[in-house]
Amino acid sequence: METYVVVRAHGLRTHLLKPEDYEKLLGTANVKEFIYVLSDTDYRNVVEQLPEEVEASDFRKALFKKYMERVNILEKNSPDGLRQFLRNYALGRFEVVNIKHVLRAKAGGSSISVHELFPVKLNVVKWNEPLGLERLDDVVRYLARRGYPTLDIAFSIYRRNRLLDVLECALEADYYDSLHRLIEKLKLRELEDIVREEADIRWLYWIIDLKARRANLSEVKSILDKYGGKASEELWSHALKYELEDFIFFLSRFRRYRRIIPQLRRGLRARDYLLVEDLLRKRLYDMAVHYLLYEPVSLTYVLSFLLLCEAEMCNLMILFSGKKARLHAHELRPFIFLPLV
Amino acid sequence: MSLPSQASATLGTLLRLREQLQLVRRGKEILEMKRDQLIREIYRLLDEIKRRSELDEEFTALYSRMKEAYMVRGPDEISSYSRAVSKPSFRVLYESLMGVRIPHIDILKEPDLDKITDPALRELAKELWELMKKTIAIGSKEMAVENLSHELAYINRVVNSLEKNIIPQLQENIRYIEVRIQEITLSEFVRIKKIRDLLHKRRGI
């Protein structure tokens, strides 16, 4: 059955957008033309349902719908254990995004409606419940009972340093921790590496963010430990000891980061965090492509495929926003990840 | 100011008009001093306002970076981050500069931009807020220049009116009354002379 899922993922991969599709999309003059060109691809069924005047939220939901279609195909033919894992892996990250939206709104005393969230039902089934709570600490307590226990620790740190980043870092920590525990429980050993590598990239992102904020890293150690990656085990002491730029130097210990280190350091020196995040994001997708090429018959292929689906969502959202902002193709191209597979 | 009738061409009126003329001249001098001071103040503010073009350039540069951030993050994410930030609050205070109301915008509460968890957006938002603060400061200076210019135009009109209209009219009135008084004095003198001659003739002197 597991092999069947891999085969399905191979089949679905042929539906992903190709570089020539991206070129066509980049060449469109406006949003209308962009949607028209997109309707000639695998996105036809979701794009056709979009209203005449497409808003970013409508487009984002359409992309999510397509993503879920692909996840459902993979899920449908998976054995129970794998199905549970795929569900947690694919939906969990969107649930985390939803919760981040809720936490930000509650921290700023703003309102947010359920329509602005991804329609995800995983740990939080009724989104109206956390949205109905007025205070941030009530929301945190509510979420801590529903699969995000680290939020409790993070909230006590947030009370001291008022850094919302700690709460968001804790959310992701719980997400990766739950994936590690599922891998352990379901004995899906072959997925361990890819999840740990992905967790590492996110760990690195938070280290950069928290160090840039001059946050006390030792205070958040228990949260960061939950990412459970290889880099987080080996580089923790360096993260504590060295300044950000010097710390990045130690990443060269991991071959997969060596290529981006000079650019990372340049980005950090210029405080160009958009470049830093873009490098990390592309590193994650490069890793997915690597697994796609070198692990064609393993379950890792399925997760790599899902990562590339996410990259595609991200690319299309960038193109859509770029078209809305009337940016030219040459301005958009550097931010697009083109999987040359 | 109308010309006084013959009946009012008295020494009292002349003294009163001279006092008026002195007062008007003094007033004109004060207004001219105020005008010069206003011009100096406007020039000083104009030097500061010249920085607006630099600000515009900074805004243009920031705008292109913001467009990139907008494209990468998308409008929904950006609105999500902005929800965490409390809105800034302002208070407009007025100070008096030579009797002219000059607005001064006081920032009561700055937005808590540290709540933006995305480092790229946080940096951009901080830069944007710094630019906004400079723009607000320059904006209030522009308002000050506008108000001072209105006052300057008003003072110019008053000084011109005093210089071209009221002072010449007062001078004309004074001259007229002086002539009238001279005429009256002369005719009085002639009348007295004639009366004295008549009295001398009667007495046979």
Side-chain angles (χ1 to χ4, degrees), chain A residues 157-311:
Chain A
I157 300 168
Y158 169 76
R159 272 198 184 130
R160 285 197 294 277
N161 63 16
R162 310 305 292 173
L163 291 180
L164 206 55
D165 312 46
V166 180
L167 294 180
E168 296 193 5
C169 175
L171 276 175
E172 288 186 22
D174 276 328
Y175 167 69
Y176 287 111
D177 188 47
S178 72
L179 292 183
H180 292 312
R181 277 191 281 117
L182 269 177
I183 288 172
E184 193 76 39
K185 189 178 141 194
L186 305 169
K187 295 182 176 50
L188 298 164
R189 294 275 175 229
E190 49 193 309
L191 295 177
E192 206 176 305
D193 279 349
I194 188 170
V195 174
R196 283 184 77 167
E197 280 194 40
E198 192 191 321
D200 262 346
I201 289 174
R202 290 310 295 168
W203 177 85
L204 194 57
Y205 170 82
W206 286 113
I207 289 284
I208 291 172
D209 177 69
L210 292 168
K211 274 187 94 66
R213 295 275 229 162
R214 308 236 165 252
N216 183 359
L217 278 190
S218 48
E219 212 176 34
V220 284
K221 185 180 187 305
S222 61
I223 298 170
L224 288 165
D225 277 350
K226 291 207 165 192
Y227 279 80
K230 282 179 193 161
S232 49
E233 278 170 15
E234 291 183 30
L235 293 180
W236 172 249
S237 58
H238 295 92
L240 271 182
K241 207 165 151 189
Y242 295 100
E243 283 295 311
L244 198 48
E245 257 190 79
D246 302 325
F247 162 70
I248 294 299
F249 176 75
F250 289 100
L251 278 180
S252 56
R253 201 173 281 189
F254 297 88
R255 219 173 71 190
R256 56 183 181 272
Y257 295 119
R258 268 178 216 156
R259 225 177 58 201
I260 61 164
I261 287 174
Q263 279 174 289
L264 256 181
R265 294 184 83 174
R266 208 175 310 132
L268 286 172
R269 209 169 298 143
R271 297 174 74 84
D272 186 354
Y273 294 109
L274 214 56
L275 171 73
V276 171
E277 208 194 323
D278 191 52
L279 284 170
L280 292 179
R281 189 170 63 91
K282 284 182 177 164
R283 174 66 218 117
L284 175 69
Y285 301 144
D286 275 337
M287 176 198 78
V289 173
H290 171 86
Y291 278 114
L292 220 59
L293 291 171
Y294 296 103
E295 302 275 352
V297 287
S298 133
L299 275 180
T300 315
Y301 189 94
V302 180
L303 288 204
S304 304
F305 165 73
L306 285 177
L307 274 174
L308 287 185
C309 288
E310 202 184 292

Side-chain angles (χ1 to χ4, degrees), chain A residues 127-155:
Chain A
W127 284 100
N128 280 325
E129 286 176 359
L131 291 178
L133 299 168
E134 270 192 24
R135 287 167 43 189
L136 182 64
D137 50 349
D138 292 334
V139 177
V140 166
R141 262 196 296 276
Y142 174 89
L143 294 166
R145 290 197 303 270
R146 281 170 178 76
Y148 298 95
T150 317
L151 272 181
D152 261 343
I153 307 165
F155 192 68

Side-chain angles (χ1 to χ4, degrees), chain A residues 100-112:
Chain A
K100 281 181 185 174
H101 288 328
V102 175
L103 291 179
R104 284 172 203 153
K106 296 295 167 191
S110 320
S111 62
I112 179 168

Side-chain angles (χ1 to χ4, degrees), chain B residues 121-135:
Chain B
L121 282 182
R122 187 171 58 236
E123 288 294 313
L124 278 175
K126 281 183 179 173
E127 281 180 47
L128 182 66
W129 175 241
E130 285 308 313
L131 271 180
M132 287 297 288
K133 281 203 284 192
K134 286 180 194 166
T135 312

Side-chain angles (χ1 to χ4, degrees), chain B residues 94-107:
Chain B
Y94 288 94
E95 358 178 288
S96 175
L97 181 71
M98 286 176 290
V100 183
R101 266 160 65 97
I102 303 293
H104 172 77
I105 299 168
D106 216 5
I107 299 166

Side-chain angles (χ1 to χ4, degrees), chain A residues 10-34:
Chain A
H10 272 276
L12 285 171
R13 205 197 95 190
T14 58
H15 294 269
L16 287 177
L17 297 179
K18 289 156 195 65
E20 53 268 29
D21 294 322
Y22 281 115
E23 280 308 317
K24 273 190 216 165
L25 291 166
L26 276 165
T28 53
N30 49 39
V31 174
K32 213 170 176 179
E33 209 178 302
F34 170 78

